[in-house]
């Protein structure tokens, strides 16, 4: 049973029938009745109740992909952020331009669909989102040679695998890859040519898995604005 509308009521169990008190037996020939009848017990049951967030889009990805930081930068949310895994223990919500609701789904890990980490506590909130934005940190690209690219591909496949194994059509939702923390590229001086080359390398590798790719750095206001506009554009479709 799903309750999706405000004020919606659904009867789960039928209540018991009350017994008859002495007032029911009162009559001219029985002024002070001492009779009564017992009532009947109502139905009983055990239920599992789950809260599933209803949002237009969900930010998913491994821990430390930058989901909470990006939500804060894009919306009026005040999600807790930290340089360690599982900073977010509950999904956070924020309202993007035009009233679109964005949910920051806490970091998934390998085995989440089987209950590892916080497992289903995270994944169930993805069910009611219309679109997924899969955040992948470009910090992982700083490894030498092809290892960095291979790491990005592995990260993407890890999260996709958990969505598929959890089932309930999570892996069928529209998905956009968002490459975060572009400010981590280009060495100490953030050389633009090196940054552009690294982003191009990441996109080339990931486009084989999903051609819809965006980039962002929360340290760049223009980058955040452009991403926000792109998210709204896709949600409007």
């Amino acid at each position: 049973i799903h309750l999706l509308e405000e004020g919606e009521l659904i009867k789960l169990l039928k209540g018991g029938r009350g017994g008859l008190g002495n007032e029911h037996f009162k009559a001219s020939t029985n002024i002070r009745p001492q009779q009564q009848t017992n009532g009947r017990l109502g139905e009983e049951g055990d239920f599992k109740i789950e809260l599933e967030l209803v949002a237009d889009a969900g930010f998913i990805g491994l821990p430390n992909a930058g989901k909470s930081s990006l939500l804060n930068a894009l919306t009026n949310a005040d999600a807790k952020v930290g340089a360690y895994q599982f900073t977010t223990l509950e999904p956070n919500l924020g309202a993007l331009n035009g009233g679109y609701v964005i949910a920051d789904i806490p970091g998934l890990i390998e085995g989440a669909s089987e209950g590892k980490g916080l497992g289903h506590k995270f994944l169930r909130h993805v069910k009611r989102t219309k679109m997924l934005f899969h955040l992948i940190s470009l910090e992982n690209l700083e490894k030498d040679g092809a290892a960095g690219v291979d790491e990005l591909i592995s990260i993407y496949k890890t999260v996709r695998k958990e969505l598929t194994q959890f089932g309930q059509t999570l892996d069928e939702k529209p998905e956009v890859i968002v490459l975060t923390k572009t400010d981590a590229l280009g060495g100490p001086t953030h050389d633009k040519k090196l940054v552009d080359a690294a982003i191009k390398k990441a996109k080339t590798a990931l486009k084989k898995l999903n051609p819809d790719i965006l980039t962002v750095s929360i340290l760049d206001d223009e980058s955040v604005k452009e991403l926000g506009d792109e998210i709204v554009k896709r949600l409007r479709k």
Side-chain angles (χ1 to χ4, degrees):
I1 294 173
H2 300 277
L3 294 173
L4 302 176
E5 303 293 335
E6 184 176 352
E8 187 176 0
L9 295 174
I10 294 178
K11 182 167 70 174
L12 298 176
L13 299 173
K14 186 176 181 180
R17 190 180 72 183
L20 301 175
N22 58 352
E23 184 69 19
H24 175 81
F25 298 97
K26 194 172 184 179
S28 59
T29 57
N30 189 7
I31 298 175
R32 295 184 178 85
Q34 299 299 312
Q35 301 100 313
Q36 54 86 28
T37 62
N38 295 325
R40 294 183 179 178
L41 294 176
E43 298 173 333
E44 294 183 354
D46 294 320
F47 300 93
K48 179 181 179 181
I49 300 176
E50 270 192 0
L51 170 66
E52 296 174 359
L53 297 179
V54 178
D56 295 292
F59 287 167
I60 62 171
L62 294 183
N64 283 352
K67 297 180 295 298
S68 297
S69 297
L70 183 57
L71 184 74
N72 289 344
L74 286 170
T75 73
N76 58 353
D78 186 23
K80 180 181 178 182
V81 297
Y84 53 90
Q85 294 187 355
F86 298 117
T87 309
T88 306
L89 298 178
E90 296 289 348
N92 296 297
L93 296 177
L96 193 58
N97 295 341
Y100 293 105
V101 177
I102 309 295
D104 157 26
I105 309 299
L108 301 176
I109 63 171
E110 187 172 4
S113 60
E114 301 170 357
K116 292 183 180 179
L118 295 182
H120 296 178
K121 182 180 176 70
F122 293 166
L123 282 166
R124 72 171 189 264
H125 291 293
V126 182
K127 289 192 287 185
R128 301 242 173 244
T129 57
K130 299 175 184 176
M131 177 176 286
L132 300 178
F133 289 86
H134 188 162
L135 274 59
I136 301 176
S137 171
L138 287 180
E139 288 177 312
N140 301 285
L141 197 59
E142 289 296 271
K143 295 185 176 181
D144 294 334
V149 172
D150 291 342
E151 182 72 11
L152 295 183
I153 293 173
S154 175
I155 288 170
Y156 177 83
K157 288 183 176 179
T158 294
V159 173
R160 293 298 305 177
K161 178 182 176 183
E162 296 310 314
L163 295 180
T164 300
Q165 291 186 342
F166 186 74
Q168 304 187 50
T169 70
L170 295 192
D171 59 323
E172 298 176 11
K173 291 181 179 293
E175 178 200 53
V176 179
I177 293 177
V178 180
L179 300 177
T180 64
K181 304 184 183 181
T182 59
D183 50 273
L185 302 172
T189 60
H190 303 299
D191 183 276
K192 188 177 187 306
K193 288 185 178 179
L194 293 178
V195 172
D196 291 344
I199 291 174
K200 182 179 179 180
K201 182 169 67 173
K203 285 185 174 181
T204 299
L206 290 169
K207 276 184 177 179
K208 299 175 183 177
L209 303 172
N210 183 345
D212 198 355
I213 302 175
L214 303 174
T215 60
V216 69
S217 166
I218 63 168
L219 301 182
D220 182 350
D221 291 342
E222 185 62 29
S223 172
V224 172
K225 182 181 182 304
E226 289 177 359
L227 178 64
D229 292 342
E230 286 293 332
I231 291 175
V232 171
K233 178 180 176 181
R234 282 161 172 73
L235 289 175
R236 280 177 178 166
K237 292 181 181 179

